[in-house]
Amino acid sequence: MNTHQTHMRHAVGVAESARHRARPNPWVGAVVVCQDGSIYSGATSAPGGAHAEIVALNAAHAAHAATNGATLYSTLEPCSHIGRTGACTTAIIDAGISTVVSGIQDPDPRVAGRGFAQLESAGIAVVRDVCADEITTQLRPYIHHRTTGRPFVRLKMACTMDARTTLPDGQKRITGDEARVRVHELRADSDVIITGMGTVRTDDPLLTVRDCDGESPRRIVLVSDAGSVPEHAQVQPCDEWAGSLTDLLDELGSQGVIVAMVEAGPRVARSFFEHNLVNEYIFHIAPIVCGDSNTLPVFDGLAATTASQMWRGTLSSVGVFGSDLEIILSPQQQKVGAS
C-alpha cells in the first residue's frame, strides 16, 4: 500500500461517520497532510453545513497548521459550484494546497469533472482514482441517485431455509434478536421505508429505529385508495401512495431521497422484483425448515421460468447475526449455466 492509498483509506474511514447525517449530500471524508507531517481530517456535515474538505481545512487552521504546500485527500471530487455552501475548490485554492488526491469523480452534473478542472487551472496537481473501487462501493447509493434520478432501493426479506416468509402457526417473527438489531441498522441507513397494506393489516409494524442509534425513516404505505391506512395503525404518521412503483421512485428521487428500503410482504416484493426496481436484495434466513407449501414464499405469485431464463444475482456479502444468516445480492440478469 503506497502513501496515497494509506491516507485515502483514512479518508474512507472518516466518511463513514457522515453516512447518516450527510444525505442528500454524499458522505465524504477528507484528510489534509501538511508539509510538517501533521494530519487533519473531516467528514461532511449535515445539509447546509461544511463539506468534508472544508471541515478538514478548518481543523488544520484551528491548530494553526500551515496548509500552504499541503496535500488534500478527498474521497470524492471537490465541488466547484455554490449551493447552500461555498465551493470547496475555492477554499482549497485559497488554502495554498499543492496537491489534491481524489477517489472518484463526482457524478453530480453540477460537478462532473469541473472541480478537477478548476483545481488544475489554479496550478494544483490532481491525482485521481485512488482507492476508486472501495469508494465507489461506499458511495453506491449516492452514485445511483445522481445517475438515475431515483433512490437506491434495498429489498429486505426474512425467510426460512425453504424460502417461506410466514409460519404455519401464525408466528410473525422468523429471525432472532441479533437479526432484528441488524434490521434497525438498515432502517437507520435509509431515508424512507416502503411497505404494503397487507403488512400493515397483518403485522401492524412500527417500522422505526429503536435498537440502534439513528433517526427513524419516513414511512410510505402502498395503498389502492387514499385514506386506507387506519389512524390507529402503528405505522402512522405515514405517507400513502396509490400510483405506480416507477412513479413513486421518480417522485422520491426528485425529493432528494437517496436510500429507500422495501420492508413488506412477498406480493410487494414480487412487484419490485418483476419491475427490476431493486438495487440490493437482503435476505435474512433463519435455520428453520417450514415444510408447509401453503405458507407464502419470498416472491408470492412469481411466474415459473425455465432454467435458462432464471434470474441470478451477484453475491455481495454473507454474514451471521446470532443464529441467522444474512445474504446480500446485487441484481445481475444472467442465464443459469451461461459461460
Side-chain angles (χ1 to χ4, degrees):
M1 187 185 303
N2 60 38
T3 300
H4 284 343
Q5 290 173 330
T6 298
H7 291 307
M8 187 61 77
R9 289 214 165 104
H10 180 186
V12 169
V14 172
E16 277 301 309
S17 68
R19 189 177 190 94
H20 293 167
R21 70 168 179 262
R23 296 192 301 261
N25 295 326
W27 40 107
V28 177
V31 172
V32 174
V33 181
C34 298
Q35 287 190 311
D36 64 1
S38 58
I39 298 173
Y40 306 91
S41 62
T44 310
S45 304
H51 291 184
E53 299 91 334
I54 308 300
V55 176
L57 287 170
N58 286 345
H61 295 153
H64 305 291
T67 56
N68 192 57
T71 298
L72 184 143
Y73 295 81
S74 181
T75 56
L76 187 68
E77 174 188 8
C79 70
S80 56
H81 65 285
I82 297 175
R84 284 178 286 191
T85 61
C88 291
T89 51
T90 301
I92 292 169
I93 294 167
D94 291 345
I97 298 295
S98 64
T99 303
V100 170
V101 181
S102 176
I104 61 173
Q105 179 173 299
D106 193 337
D108 190 314
R110 295 172 298 176
V111 188
R114 293 181 179 88
F116 292 148
Q118 187 171 347
L119 294 172
E120 289 172 333
S121 294
I124 295 175
V126 175
V127 180
R128 312 185 192 199
D129 300 327
V130 175
C131 301
D133 290 344
E134 187 174 343
I135 293 165
T136 297
T137 298
Q138 184 181 53
L139 287 174
R140 187 179 170 206
Y142 167 77
I143 294 168
H144 176 81
H145 178 267
R146 291 302 195 270
T147 55
T148 69
R150 290 180 175 178
F152 184 88
V153 177
R154 290 189 175 114
L155 173 64
K156 175 265 167 185
M157 297 290 287
C159 63
T160 63
M161 294 291 288
D162 49 345
R164 296 287 156 174
T165 62
T166 58
L167 299 176
D169 60 2
Q171 180 178 321
K172 295 180 181 179
R173 286 190 57 193
I174 293 176
T175 53
D177 291 341
E178 291 87 348
R180 184 188 68 236
V181 172
R182 169 62 171 161
V183 171
H184 285 223
E185 291 172 349
L186 291 169
R187 291 176 184 171
D189 196 41
S190 304
D191 301 306
V192 301
I193 298 289
I194 301 171
T195 194
M197 269 305 300
T199 298
V200 172
R201 293 192 195 97
T202 303
D203 298 338
D204 192 23
L206 286 163
L207 300 181
T208 56
V209 175
R210 303 182 300 281
D211 292 336
C212 68
D213 293 332
E215 298 292 326
S216 291
R218 173 180 159 200
R219 288 154 295 197
I220 298 174
V221 180
L222 304 176
V223 298
S224 298
D225 300 296
S228 298
V229 181
E231 292 184 4
H232 63 270
Q234 292 192 105
V235 76
Q236 293 281 18
C238 67
D239 295 327
E240 298 183 6
W241 184 265
S244 72
L245 296 182
T246 54
D247 287 346
L248 172 60
L249 296 184
D250 287 337
E251 175 63 24
L252 292 177
S254 70
Q255 296 171 6
V257 173
I258 303 297
V259 179
M261 186 162 87
V262 179
E263 196 171 345
R267 291 184 178 88
V268 170
R270 182 197 70 203
S271 294
F272 273 90
F273 175 84
E274 287 185 321
H275 288 88
N276 296 315
L277 299 177
V278 181
N279 303 110
E280 188 171 76
Y281 295 86
I282 303 176
F283 295 102
H284 284 179
I285 305 172
I288 301 168
V289 175
C290 175
D292 186 345
S293 60
N294 293 317
T295 56
L296 294 176
V298 169
F299 298 127
D300 184 40
L302 191 65
T305 58
T306 64
S308 63
Q309 297 172 327
M310 291 175 67
W311 181 94
R312 173 171 289 184
T314 299
L315 184 64
S316 298
S317 70
V318 177
V320 177
F321 294 89
S323 60
D324 302 312
L325 185 67
E326 178 184 79
I327 296 178
I328 300 181
L329 297 173
S330 297
Q332 175 189 336
Q333 205 68 37
Q334 178 181 323
K335 295 181 179 179
V336 173
S339 57

